[in-house]
Amino acid sequence: MKDVVIACVGKPSAGKSSFLNAVTDASAKVGNYPFTTIKPNNGIAYFPIECPCKRFGKTKLCAPRYGRCIEGKRFVPIQILDVAGLVPGASEGQGLGNQFLDDLRHANALIHVVDVSGTTDANGKETIGYDPIGDIEWLRSEIHSWIYGNLDKRWSQIVRRHIAIKASTAETMHTQLSGYGATLLLVQRSLDRSGVKESMDTWDKETVRKVVDAFLDERFPTVIALNKIDLPDSDKNISKIMRKYGQSKVVLTSALAETFLRKLAKQKFIVYDEGTDNVQTKEDLPDSDLKFLDEKLQNRIEKVQDLVLYRYGSTGVQDVILKAVEVLGLVPAFPVKSLTTFANANGKGVFRDCVLLWPGTTVLEFADIVHPEIAKHYLGAETIGNRKIGEDDIITLENNIICFKTSQATHSSVAGTASASGSGAGQGGPSKK
Ligand SMILES: Nc1nc2c(ncn2[C@@H]2O[C@H](COP(=O)(O)OP(=O)(O)OP(=O)(O)O)[C@@H](O)[C@H]2O)c(=O)[nH]1
Ligand SMILES: [Mg+2]
């Protein structure tokens, strides 16, 4: 079972590695020159959801296997991938070219990190006054060209085979696109989205482009992170980009500010409530074990507060992950062995496992994700109030606390073994993606 992976993409020096370091414990190399990153880096980020322990008065007993839960705010793990920068012409081999694009095959969603400060040009070199508004389009068009180019160079062969074996359009396109981690269902959804109904042998280049465009939307849902909002020119670029793209997929971030605040919190100079503008120092908490700040550090904190926290409400990095989870439509689900104690099979802890599911995952599919033995010996399932739910019922936020009944006692460690990071959703999983 593969975990959900969210990949940071963007031109060199946009701040992808800084973003990864800001949201995970990774320590990827950061540099103010293009192609600091060559090989992908990854790490686990924790994003907050409302934990059911609060609703059921179990906050004291709540014991997540992965991540943590603070008074009902549960931090769920998700994998973040940071790849090499992409430059215009990458699909034709410019920069690090296709090698970078290949790394995207593992990603479920993309975070496009844009340097909104205008201090780096299209190739990631230092400059001043660069207008980043075009970056959003060309990055997408590079990914488009990569996929389209691979189809175009073999198109006549693809169509000949399609006719010879009398395959459906979805089947043929699936054969061609499965290398990008697409299921048949996802390809079918892409075809529906494209509105293309003509038979494949009549498709011209424009039609293929249209299908690839729809495929990109389905396969790589993207959140745009306008990064470096702490720098002076960002303001005017932000309003321009917001006017063009709206607010639904755009988040304002300062990876630098987040890294700085987390580091100070780790070193016990401040208490920092991640995802908020709440920073407390020894002055605010005189009885705490916080260290005293010197004037220089105090000034730097105030600068981050003035330029980022008070202006935008937070550094934005956590919002980016939340938005990516939202665009993927992931549903957190909790397998429990008892609907009264909410403990798992070992009787250990409460709401121990939280599994992220693709939208449309059924109860039986969830059973299989928790453990194939549960699906094999499946008798039924119940949710809160001992309400029975059918094996084909779709899991939503209304029925996501589930107790499975099996015909045979499953191994004691079975319920809630899900997958390593606690994320069940994945392209390889039995889910609908
Ligand atoms: N002011 C400011 N600088 C930032 C921010 N995020 C990153 N930087 C700086 O931007 C430069 C590039 O950062 P990286 O994280 O290495 O960028 P990258 O996108 O990973 O670059 P490549 O690996 O070369 O593709 C570094 O000097 C960072 O310190 C930010 O939010 N604000
Ligand atoms: Mg990098």
Side-chain angles (χ1 to χ4, degrees), residues 8-21 28-38 41 82-86 96 113 115 117 119-120 123-124 126 226-232 253-259 308 315 317:
C8 300
V9 296
K11 71 183 186 187
S13 293
K16 300 175 295 297
S17 302
S18 303
F19 184 89
L20 175 86
N21 292 345
K29 192 170 168 200
V30 163
N32 63 346
Y33 49 89
F35 301 115
T36 306
T37 306
I38 294 177
N41 302 297
D82 157 46
V83 299
L86 182 71
L96 298 178
V113 182
D115 177 351
S117 70
T119 56
T120 51
N123 291 302
E126 267 188 76
L226 300 182
N227 191 39
K228 308 194 189 179
I229 55 171
D230 51 286
L231 290 178
T253 64
S254 173
L256 193 71
E258 180 75 8
T259 311
V308 181
T315 66
V317 297

Side-chain angles (χ1 to χ4, degrees), residues 248-264:
S248 69
K249 284 189 176 171
V250 179
V251 184
L252 309 181
T253 64
S254 173
L256 193 71
E258 180 75 8
T259 311
F260 172 66
L261 294 172
R262 285 200 187 195
K263 198 165 134 197
L264 288 192

Side-chain angles (χ1 to χ4, degrees), residues 48 214 232 285-286 316 329 353 362 432:
L285 304 166
D353 294 292
T362 65
K432 299 283 179 194

Side-chain angles (χ1 to χ4, degrees), residues 265-276:
K266 220 177 219 167
Q267 295 170 346
K268 290 211 164 287
F269 281 112
I270 58 169
V271 172
Y272 170 48
D273 197 359
E274 288 159 21
T276 73

Side-chain angles (χ1 to χ4, degrees), residues 81-148:
L81 183 74
D82 157 46
V83 299
L86 182 71
V87 295
S91 57
E92 275 124 42
Q94 294 294 316
L96 298 178
N98 286 334
Q99 177 211 317
F100 147 81
L101 290 162
D102 275 347
D103 295 330
L104 288 191
R105 290 170 202 264
H106 309 294
N108 300 110
L110 306 181
I111 293 170
H112 180 182
V113 182
V114 175
D115 177 351
V116 78
S117 70
T119 56
T120 51
D121 67 14
N123 291 302
K125 293 206 184 81
E126 267 188 76
T127 184
I128 43 166
Y130 174 82
D131 185 351
I133 196 149
D135 289 2
I136 297 169
E137 291 301 323
W138 76 247
L139 185 114
R140 186 182 159 95
S141 75
E142 280 306 331
I143 301 177
H144 187 285
S145 304
W146 167 54
I147 297 174
Y148 172 79

